[in-house]
Each structure stands twice: as C-alpha cells, then as structure tokens.
Amino acid sequence: AHPRMAASHRRRRGLLAVALLCCAAQPSGAGAYSRGALPIHRPRPWGLRRVHLSWGELDQAVALNGGDRWSGARVTPDELREICDAAVCTNQPRPVIPQFHPRRRWLWRQWTGTIVCNVLPREVAFNTFFAILITAFFRAPGPNFAWREGLVRCLSSVDQVWFLTSGLVTFTLSFFLTQSYALWREVYTCTRRVQGRLNDIGLLCATTARRDDAGSYLDHSERLLESVARYVRLFNILLYASVTRRFAPLRTPAGLNALVEVGAMTDEERLAILDASNGQNTVLQWIVTLVNTGIHRGDFGDGSQASQTALYTAIAEKATELRSAYASIPDLLSGRMPLAYTQLVQILTDMLVLFTPFALIHSVGGVGAVVGTALVTLFHTSILNLAKILLDPFNNEDFGGPSRIAINVDTLVAETNLGSNRWRRGARWVPREARAYFQRDTLPVVGPRRP
C-alpha cells in the first residue's frame, strides 16, 4: 500500500504545480484579459498591420481600435517617435481623401485609391480560377463525359434561382453601400465640424485680444493666445488618439512623455491629464477656463460689460458645439452597423458568387461562365468591400489595405496644427482705421482700464 500512496501524493503535487503555473500565467485585476481572446503579437509597421480577431475581442468597439485595445501600448520607440512627429507636423503629406479628375480616360487609368486594387488581385482571381475548374469538370472531354454533360442540363433550375436571387442581392448591396457611405460622410462631417469650432475659438481670441496704442498685441495677450493655440493642438492630438489606431500610442504614459519632449505639453500638464484620465475633455476645459479668465482680466474685449458678456456667450456656444461634434465620432463608430445586417449581406453576396459558374454554364457555356463569374465577382464583391471599407472611416481595422480610401488622419491633424497659429499671426496687423480705436483717449470708460 505504501508505494501506491506515494504515487498518489506525487500526482497530487504535480497537479498542484500545474495549477499554480496556470494561475501565475494569467493577468490579475479587474482589467485582466485572456490571452486566447487578445493575442499578444508583434505588430507590423503602421498602415500594414492586420489584427486577427477572435470572438472574445468583440466586446469592444472594433471601429475605434481595430479590435485590439492594447495596440497603443505595443509600439517600439522608433514607431512612437514617428507617430509623435506626425502629431506635431504642420506639413500636409497628401489630401485628406484621394482626389480625382472627372475625365473618363483619367479615371480608367487609376489603380491606387480605388476599390479595384482591393478586389481584383484576390476575389476576382480566385473565383475566376474556381469557374475554370467547374467548366473543366463539366466540359472537358474524357471519361464519363456523357454523364457530366447530363449534369449540365440538370443545372437549369439553378440558373432560374440564381437569376431571381441576383436582383435581390443587387438591391441589398446598393442599399448597404448607401448606408455605409452615409456613415462615412457623417464621420467626415464631424471631423470638419471639430476643425471649424477650433478655428472659431482661435478667430474670436485673436480678434478680441487687447492691443497697445499702435494696434499690436500686448505681451501678456500674445502669450495667452500662444497658450490657447498650443492647447488647441494638444486637444486635437488627444482626440484622434482616442478614435484612431494610428495615434493611439499617444494616449499611453510613454506617448504623453513623448509629447512633453517635443513641446506639445508641459510635464505639469502631463501629470494633470494622467490624474484626470479624461484625455481631450480635460484639455477642452483648460481652453474654456483660460479664455474666460482672460475675458475677466480684460485680456480679451474692450473692457466693457457688454463685450465681456458677448465673448462669454460666444466662447460657451463654440465650446459646447465642439464637445457635441467630437463626442459624436466614437458614437458613430461604435454603432456603425448591426452585426446581423452585415452578416446577411456577406452571406447573400458569397452565395450568389459561389453559384454563378453553376448557373451560367447551362445558359452561356463554359467560356461565358468563366467571364461571367469574373464580372459578377468584380461588381458585387467590389460593392460589398467598398461598403465595409466605408464603415471603417479611419482604417482602424486595416481592411482597405493599399486602397487608401479611408480618411487621412495625418492630414486632419496637420491642418489643425497649422490653423492653430493662423489667426494670431493674421491679426497682428490691423488697418489704420482700426488702430485709431486703440488710442488711450478713445478707450471706453466702462469696465477695467488697460494698464
């Protein structure tokens, strides 16, 4: 009995050791995740990365982070430096979306930036090869040719069902594409509304800042305008870091440190953002507080009570409109399209394309079945893939690949960086008729006087 008891004890100790190792391998805490649900892998360079999703990852907004909430934390120092340089850049690398000439000849020659480059090398080539195999099976001479020829005559019912179904699939795809483009356009409109409200704040501040007798900015007024411009840039960076995978690393502690190094923020501001854990919302509050403080001190406006009230109201309106605009972006991406709708459209399209060679070989022959399969695949799959690309406006899922159909976030950030100082520089000089207003003896007597 003693050897059996010893063996039993050894098995128990072995099982206990395995259990302890498994527990040690799992992350702890409320935010722990399963490695099976979120695989940790070395990402490819930005713009080429493809995230492999599992069912456990779909408890998050895939259109916001590509299905990988930890993507921002897995970057090398060189990648983080490149992202940070792009975030503070003022040079626009290319238009916000691919541009085009309306001429037919020019459009037919394009490849990059089109859906054809996304569909033709993969789906069309594969389905054409599949149609060739089906045609060879039914039409190639050899053993059992008569039996195979008889099968073709039996496919007449498939031809009829395919013909009736193709109309339904085409209509469904057209409607699906329309809805996808509507979401893409709404997201794009929100990005421009955000840009517009930030420019409004810069315009109001630059045109109402206090000036000396010559019409130039007072020193403390110009410093205040520079702070507002820097906060506008920081707000924009953190906004797109929250809704795009491209700039997601800038929301991490390492990313905030990189922004401090390039002068986008101070170390005190970095600590405040980390403490608040509120990203761009915190910076927006800084902007409103800074401008309101400047109005109260007389750095903005002519010092009269009416001027202060008007500026308070205008800034409040622009700030609330800005908050509404940027808060709509994650809402739109999170509720872009129901899973059931997208899955149904995918199944309808795949079934139509799959049965195309079987349906056409009876009615148009072998060569017609191959050519028809290629055309049906090109048209229907292009519509479906274009719709799915439009449902990912910032290319967070990298589904578009080299097509570059998504909104170019680098250009949006660069445009805002450039525009943050545009109004301050443009309003440094004022016409002669306006300079007469800033003479000391013409200042209003209501409200605080300029020192």
Side-chain angles (χ1 to χ4, degrees), residues 49-61:
R49 183 187 308 177
R50 186 173 299 280
V51 179
H52 300 281
L53 300 179
S54 66
W55 289 110
E57 293 184 63
L58 299 183
D59 59 347
Q60 53 189 300

Side-chain angles (χ1 to χ4, degrees), residues 202-203 205-207 209 211 217 221-230 233 418-429:
L203 173 63
C205 293
T207 53
R211 303 172 184 268
Y217 290 131
S221 296
E222 184 151 19
R223 288 194 298 271
L224 191 60
L225 290 176
E226 291 174 353
S227 297
V228 171
R230 185 170 60 83
R233 295 192 294 272
L418 185 63
S420 62
N421 287 315
R422 177 189 299 127
W423 308 108
R424 175 174 58 88
R425 293 171 180 171
R428 278 177 177 166
W429 182 91

Side-chain angles (χ1 to χ4, degrees), residues 308-330:
Q308 288 184 349
T309 302
L311 281 175
Y312 278 133
T313 304
I315 293 297
E317 289 178 354
K318 299 303 178 183
T320 52
E321 291 175 6
L322 174 61
R323 190 218 60 80
S324 175
Y326 77 76
S328 299
I329 297 177

Side-chain angles (χ1 to χ4, degrees), residues 56-348:
E57 293 184 63
L58 299 183
D59 59 347
Q60 53 189 300
V62 180
L64 289 173
N65 53 25
D68 185 3
R69 62 167 60 94
W70 305 105
S71 61
R74 290 195 297 272
V75 292
T76 64
D78 291 338
E79 290 174 341
L80 182 59
R81 191 177 304 110
E82 185 270 330
I83 296 169
C84 192
D85 291 341
V88 298
C89 178
T90 57
N91 298 323
Q92 302 173 14
R94 60 177 187 265
V96 66
I97 59 174
Q99 303 298 296
F100 67 92
H101 288 296
R103 294 190 295 272
R104 180 190 299 109
R105 189 174 180 181
W106 185 92
L107 289 171
W108 271 93
R109 295 201 306 265
Q110 301 312 302
W111 178 259
T112 303
T114 66
I115 192 61
V116 177
C117 72
N118 181 273
V119 173
L120 196 60
R122 296 184 298 179
E123 282 86 350
V124 175
F126 175 81
N127 289 328
T128 302
F129 179 72
F130 175 71
I132 292 174
L133 293 180
I134 297 299
T135 302
F137 173 78
F138 285 111
R139 296 298 189 184
N144 301 320
F145 177 76
W147 173 75
R148 288 184 278 118
E149 188 71 20
L151 290 178
V152 174
R153 291 191 293 270
C154 296
L155 295 176
S156 60
S157 58
V158 177
D159 182 19
Q160 296 175 4
V161 174
W162 182 89
F163 179 77
L164 295 174
T165 307
S166 61
L168 171 64
V169 175
T170 303
F171 173 79
T172 304
L173 281 174
S174 301
F175 189 75
F176 187 66
L177 178 61
T178 302
Q179 296 299 310
S180 301
Y181 177 72
L183 179 130
W184 184 93
R185 174 56 61 180
E186 192 167 359
V187 171
Y188 177 77
T189 301
C190 287
T191 62
R192 291 307 191 184
R193 284 174 55 201
V194 169
Q195 207 172 54
R197 298 299 78 75
L198 291 174
N199 283 327
D200 290 345
I201 293 175
L203 173 63
L204 288 172
C205 293
T207 53
T208 59
R210 296 304 294 269
R211 303 172 184 268
D212 57 20
D213 297 340
S216 301
Y217 290 131
L218 296 176
D219 291 339
H220 57 86
S221 296
E222 184 151 19
R223 288 194 298 271
L224 191 60
L225 290 176
E226 291 174 353
S227 297
V228 171
R230 185 170 60 83
Y231 284 155
V232 164
R233 295 192 294 272
L234 180 60
F235 166 86
N236 197 59
I237 292 171
L238 294 180
L239 168 62
Y240 287 108
S242 66
V243 296
T244 67
R245 201 184 65 191
R246 162 68 167 155
F247 291 103
L250 297 181
R251 287 177 61 88
T252 63
L256 295 177
N257 287 332
L259 291 176
V260 172
E261 293 176 1
V262 298
M265 61 192 307
T266 65
D267 191 64
E268 183 182 10
E269 293 163 353
R270 178 187 67 85
L271 294 175
I273 289 177
L274 288 174
D275 181 65
S277 299
N278 212 13
Q280 69 275 8
N281 298 314
T282 300
V283 182
L284 176 60
Q285 295 175 76
W286 294 350
I287 295 174
V288 176
T289 302
L290 185 63
V291 174
N292 286 343
T293 302
I295 296 173
H296 182 72
R297 293 187 314 188
D299 294 328
F300 295 114
D302 59 9
S304 65
Q305 187 65 35
S307 174
Q308 288 184 349
T309 302
L311 281 175
Y312 278 133
T313 304
I315 293 297
E317 289 178 354
K318 299 303 178 183
T320 52
E321 291 175 6
L322 174 61
R323 190 218 60 80
S324 175
Y326 77 76
S328 299
I329 297 177
D331 293 341
L332 290 170
L333 295 179
S334 301
R336 52 181 180 169
M337 194 73 70
L339 167 64
Y341 188 13
T342 309
Q343 184 197 44
L344 176 61
V345 176
Q346 183 73 62
I347 292 174
L348 289 174

